[in-house]
Amino acid sequence: MMNATLDLKSDFPILAREIHGRPLAYLDNAATTQKPLCVIERVSNFYRTRNSNIHRGVHSLSEESSTLYEDARETVRAFIGAGDMREIVFTAGTTDAINLLARALGDCTTGGDAPFGDETRYSSDAQIGEGDEILVTGMEHHSNLLPWQDLCRRRGAVLRVLPLERNGTLHMEDISRRITSRTRLVAVTHVSNVTGIVNPVEELVRHAHDRGALVLVDGAQAVAHMPVDVASLDCDFYVFSGHKMFAENGIGVLYGKAARLEELPPARVGGGMVTSVTLESRREADLPLRFEAGTPNYPAAVSLAEAIRYLQRIGMQRIREHENTLHEYMREQLVKVGGLTVYGSAPEHSGSVAFNLDGIQPYDAGMIMDRMGVAVRTGTHCAEPLMRHFDINGCIRASLALYNDTDDIDRLAEAVRKAQSMLG
Ligand code: PLP
C-alpha cells in the first residue's frame, strides 16, 4: 500500500457515516462531490445573517448579499484565470450553461428586425445557421450533445462527430480535415466523465482557431481536479458545475471571452438583465448581467466561492498529484483483482475509472458493493454514444475526489472481489 499525500476526510462530515454498518467509501464524485464543513457553515451563516435578494435594494442586507455575489464572481474569475469579471456568467450548472450558450448562438432572432432596442448590439455573424457545422466528440456527456443536436435541427446546421480510437481517446490524426471552414463551434469535454481521459484541449483550440471556429470546453469533470487556466487554454467558452466541486447544487459557470459574449443576444430575458424598460422596448445591462435574467442562486454562488477558497488553500497542483497517484493505484488494484475489463486508456487520466466484471451486470455488482459500504455509480453515465463505442450497455464507474485515499481503493477492490464471488 502507498501513502496518500492528502488527508482531508475529517473536513467532510458525511464521510464519517456508516453504510450498512461499514464506513463509507465514497467513489461517486463524478456525479456529485460531498461538501466540506466550511461550505456547509458558510451557507448556514449566510442564511442566518445576510440573506436578501441581490442587485435590487438599497437596504443593508441586499447590499451585503450583492457584494458577496459579486465577490464570488471575482473568486471564480481568479480561480480559472479569466481576465475580466464580465466574462463570468453564473448559471444553474453545466447543463444550464451549455443550453444558454446554444440558445444564444442559434435560437435568437437578431439583426434588428424585432421591435426592441438592443438587437443592433449583436452580431448576426455570431449566429449559427444553415449549413454551418458543429463538431462534438464521441465521448460527450449528453449535456454537451443534446443542446447541439437541437440547435442543428432548428437552424439547419450540421452536427459532426470527432470519432474515438478503440482505447477511448480522440482520433486526432486527421483533425485538420475534420475541422473545416464550415465548422463554427467545437464542443469538447476537458475530461471524460466515464473513462477519466483528459483531452488535448489546447491542440483542439489551435486547430479550431486556425479555421475560425469557436471552442466550448465542458469542464464539469476538470475544475475540481486540476489547475484550469482559461487564458492559456485560449478556449472561447468554458463551463462547469458547483456541485461537482464541493459547493451547493444549483450554481454553475459559463465563462466566455468578453468579445464573444458581447456579440451574443441574452437568450433569456426578464428581471435583472436590463437597465431600462418601456412597454415596447428594453435597454439591456452590460456583461455579465445581460445573461442572468431572474433571481440567480446567490446563496449557492457564495458557497461556490467558499469551496474555491477551500481548494485554493490545499492547492490545485497538490490535488492533481494526489488524485493522479490514487488513480494509478486504483487501476493497478483493479487489474490485480482480475476478471474485469477497464475501459479507456490514455497518457493522461483524471477522476474516473470505468469497468465491468466478466459476466456480471454492473447494476448487480453495484448493489453488492453498496452492501460493503462502497458507493460507485452504475449505468450509462449520460454517455450512451460512448457506451456504444465500447459495445457495452453500461458499466461501473469509480470516481475520485481530493478526500479519497488508498483505503477507499482497497475497499473498492475488496467489494469487487465480493461481487465476483457472489455473482460470478
Ligand atoms: N458534462 C459532464 C462532463 C458531466 O460529467 C456532467 C455531469 O455529470 C455534466 C456535463 C452535467 O452537469 P450538471 O448535471 O451539473 O449540469
Side-chain angles (χ1 to χ4, degrees):
M1 208 168 87
M2 61 208 343
N3 289 327
T5 50
L6 293 176
D7 179 11
L8 299 167
K9 277 192 174 160
S10 57
D11 292 346
F12 293 79
I14 201 171
L15 298 180
R17 256 204 71 172
E18 291 197 340
I19 302 289
H20 303 301
R22 291 165 180 264
L24 168 64
Y26 186 75
L27 292 166
D28 192 20
N29 294 288
T32 200
T33 55
Q34 301 301 348
K35 317 305 171 201
L37 192 57
C38 61
V39 168
I40 297 168
E41 284 184 341
R42 181 72 170 151
V43 173
S44 163
N45 189 43
F46 178 81
Y47 280 118
R48 283 166 201 269
T49 62
R50 314 269 198 158
N51 177 48
S52 178
N53 206 338
I54 58 165
H55 294 156
R56 278 168 212 166
V58 291
H59 65 79
S60 299
L61 285 183
S62 178
E63 280 187 7
E64 286 176 22
S65 276
S66 304
T67 302
L68 286 173
Y69 182 69
E70 292 306 325
D71 286 352
R73 200 189 301 281
E74 167 57 20
T75 304
V76 170
R77 182 206 65 75
F79 182 62
I80 62 167
D84 190 330
M85 268 170 79
R86 295 183 313 142
E87 300 179 316
I88 307 298
V89 176
F90 282 123
T91 66
T94 305
T95 307
D96 187 48
I98 298 172
N99 275 278
L100 172 66
L101 184 62
R103 268 193 65 78
L105 279 170
D107 272 0
C108 293
T109 314
T110 55
D113 54 349
F116 300 110
D118 268 337
E119 284 72 14
T120 48
R121 287 167 69 167
Y122 316 128
S123 160
S124 51
D125 291 348
Q127 295 286 293
I128 292 175
E130 196 160 338
D132 289 340
E133 294 182 0
I134 295 174
L135 183 70
V136 297
T137 83
M139 70 169 81
E140 296 310 311
H141 187 283
H142 297 165
S143 290
N144 198 25
L145 173 63
L146 273 51
W148 306 119
Q149 283 179 350
D150 274 11
L151 169 54
C152 287
R153 203 174 300 126
R154 283 201 285 267
R155 297 300 304 247
V158 180
L159 191 72
R160 301 251 181 242
V161 180
L162 185 59
L164 304 181
E165 304 286 356
R166 278 174 66 147
N167 65 5
T169 56
L170 295 179
H171 178 76
M172 292 293 286
E173 232 171 69
D174 53 357
I175 185 69
S176 49
R177 194 170 57 76
R178 302 218 178 236
I179 302 177
T180 72
S181 55
R182 283 190 303 279
T183 311
R184 299 291 310 281
L185 179 76
V186 177
V188 59
T189 193
H190 198 163
V191 176
S192 163
N193 68 308
V194 178
T195 61
I197 286 173
V198 180
N199 284 323
V201 168
E202 289 96 331
E203 195 182 337
L204 277 169
V205 169
R206 251 182 286 119
H207 283 287
H209 285 176
D210 280 352
R211 295 292 186 143
L214 302 177
V215 180
L216 158 69
V217 180
D218 174 351
Q221 297 297 342
V223 276
H225 305 280
M226 60 184 69
V228 168
D229 186 79
V230 290
S232 62
L233 288 178
D234 197 27
C235 55
D236 302 279
F237 305 103
Y238 195 95
V239 292
F240 54 95
S241 298
H243 73 97
K244 293 183 195 290
M245 53 184 297
F246 316 106
E248 275 198 293
N249 288 294
I251 188 76
V253 171
L254 164 62
Y255 155 81
K257 284 180 179 169
R260 298 287 77 78
L261 290 177
E262 286 286 9
E263 59 194 8
L264 296 179
R268 296 194 281 231
V269 294
M273 50 74 68
V274 280
T275 54
S276 69
V277 174
T278 69
L279 285 176
E280 294 82 24
S281 68
R282 62 172 181 250
R283 178 129 291 277
E284 291 170 5
D286 288 331
L287 297 178
L289 297 185
R290 185 146 60 81
F291 291 101
E292 295 182 3
T295 299
N297 194 343
Y298 55 89
V302 171
S303 87
L304 178 59
E306 190 62 35
I308 288 174
R309 282 190 288 275
Y310 177 76
L311 287 166
Q312 287 170 327
R313 282 197 294 278
I314 300 161
M316 292 312 299
Q317 194 50 41
R318 275 180 78 205
I319 293 168
R320 175 79 172 126
E321 284 160 19
H322 171 73
E323 289 187 18
N324 270 350
T325 307
L326 277 186
H327 198 278
E328 226 169 89
Y329 184 64
M330 180 153 62
R331 289 176 83 93
E332 276 168 22
Q333 293 310 303
L334 287 173
V335 168
K336 217 184 260 180
V337 169
L340 53 80
T341 306
V342 173
Y343 302 103
S345 100
E348 237 193 305
H349 286 267
S350 166
S352 302
V353 172
F355 59 98
N356 267 326
L357 312 185
D358 296 350
I360 298 172
Q361 287 300 319
Y363 177 82
D364 297 339
M367 294 283 283
I368 303 286
M369 293 165 84
D370 176 61
R371 301 301 297 183
M372 305 282 290
V374 176
V376 290
R377 191 146 291 241
T378 59
T380 60
H381 315 290
C382 295
E384 290 188 25
L386 182 60
M387 297 298 112
R388 234 157 271 134
H389 172 78
F390 288 125
D391 199 18
I392 53 179
N393 294 325
C395 60
I396 303 167
R397 178 185 70 187
S399 55
L400 298 167
L402 44 73
Y403 38 65
N404 289 119
D405 56 22
T406 49
D407 186 47
D408 294 326
I409 310 298
D410 294 338
R411 301 268 314 285
L412 172 73
E414 185 196 359
V416 166
R417 280 198 190 92
K418 182 80 174 178
Q420 287 172 324
S421 72
M422 289 183 71
L423 302 167

